[in-house]
Every structure is written in C-alpha cells, then in structure tokens.
C-alpha cells in the first residue's frame, strides 16, 4: 500500500473489470493549424492506461474535459484529435463516439470488447471514445 494509505495500481486486481481513470487531456491546440501543440498530458497518462490494459482490465474509462464550451456542442472542443493522439501513443485502435448517451454509446458500452473507453466531459456535454485493445 502507498504511503498515503490509498490504494495504487499495484494494490488492486483489475482483471476482467471496468476501470475508471480521471485524466487531464485538456491539451493545447495550435491556433493556426488546429493540431495538438503539446501532447505532454496525454503522454503522462499512457503508462497508467497501458498498465491497466496489460493487467487484464475488461475496459478502461478515461474521463477528461477539453476547453470551456459553456454547455454547448462546440466542434473546436471535440475530443476527436485527442482520440487520434491517444491511439498513436497507445498503438491501439480508437473509435470516436460523438456522445455519452444514446443508442450508439449504449451499443458500444453494453458488453465492451476488452479495451479502453474514453469519456469526455465538456462542461455539461459528454463525448466518448472507444479504444480497442484486441
């Protein structure tokens, strides 16, 4: 057990379980190109995500936010570019789901393949990504 009396990844069995991880993927974008200008926050989370996946988790939910759209769907705050960066860093396929509720999300999350689900909270609006590890 860690010094703070809180459990760490080495203290829990995640095999065949769904794991929720709060991540900070509020990454900066280049204003002229629209590309992510610094992936440091994504890169910092990758070892944890990989450890959970490698430990046999059925799925991993990553929760983050991007920008401040004030409760409105705003394309410039879409997690789609973040999904691509996570996909590249993990070396796993990422499927972008455009919402956190509804038939598409229900179908994707009902009985997920072993892998990672990324859910994005956009200050009142949620988006999801599904990362397949198989």
């Amino acid at each position: 057990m860690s010094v703070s009396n809180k459990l760490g990844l080495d203290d829990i069995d995640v095999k065949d379980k769904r794991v929720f991880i709060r991540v900070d993927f509020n990454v900066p974008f280049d204003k002229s190109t629209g590309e992510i200008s610094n992936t440091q926050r994504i890169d910092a989370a990758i070892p944890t995500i990989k450890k959970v996946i490698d430990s046999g988790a059925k799925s991993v939910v990553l929760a983050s936010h991007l920008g401040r759209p004030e409760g409105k769907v705003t394309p410039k705050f879409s997690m789609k570019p973040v999904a691509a960066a996570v996909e590249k860093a993990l070396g796993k396929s990422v499927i972008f789901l455009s919402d956190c509720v509804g038939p598409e999300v229900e179908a994707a999350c009902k009985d997920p393949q072993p892998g990672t689900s990324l859910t994005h909270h956009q200050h009142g609006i949620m988006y999801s990504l599904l990362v397949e590890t198989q």
Side-chain angles (χ1 to χ4, degrees):
M1 189 174 293
S2 66
V3 177
S4 67
N5 291 330
K6 294 182 181 175
L7 298 177
L9 282 179
D10 293 328
D11 302 315
I12 56 176
D13 178 17
V14 298
K15 185 164 178 51
D16 299 323
K17 295 181 180 151
R18 295 178 192 186
V19 178
F20 180 91
I21 304 172
R22 171 59 168 96
V23 292
D24 183 2
F25 287 165
N26 191 18
V27 295
F29 287 82
D30 183 291
K31 289 180 181 166
S32 62
T33 67
E35 300 289 322
I36 296 173
S37 59
N38 185 329
T39 61
Q40 182 177 359
R41 292 176 179 197
I42 295 168
D43 298 337
I46 295 300
T48 299
I49 299 165
K50 282 184 175 179
K51 181 172 179 68
V52 171
I53 292 169
D54 293 345
S55 295
K58 178 173 183 158
S59 65
V60 181
V61 176
L62 306 173
S64 184
H65 73 92
L66 186 60
R68 295 191 179 274
E70 299 177 6
K72 298 177 184 156
V73 175
T74 308
K76 76 176 189 175
F77 295 125
S78 171
M79 291 295 286
K80 208 167 208 177
V82 175
V86 172
E87 178 176 275
K88 182 177 178 184
L90 277 176
K92 306 289 181 186
S93 175
V94 175
I95 301 165
F96 180 71
L97 302 173
S98 61
D99 205 343
C100 70
V101 296
E104 179 188 18
V105 176
E106 288 177 23
C109 298
K110 185 176 182 179
D111 188 22
Q113 295 294 318
T116 303
S117 172
L118 171 67
T119 301
H120 163 63
H121 179 244
Q122 193 176 359
H123 297 274
I125 301 170
M126 304 283 284
Y127 291 92
S128 298
L129 305 167
L130 185 65
V131 181
E132 299 177 330
T133 60
Q134 298 301 314

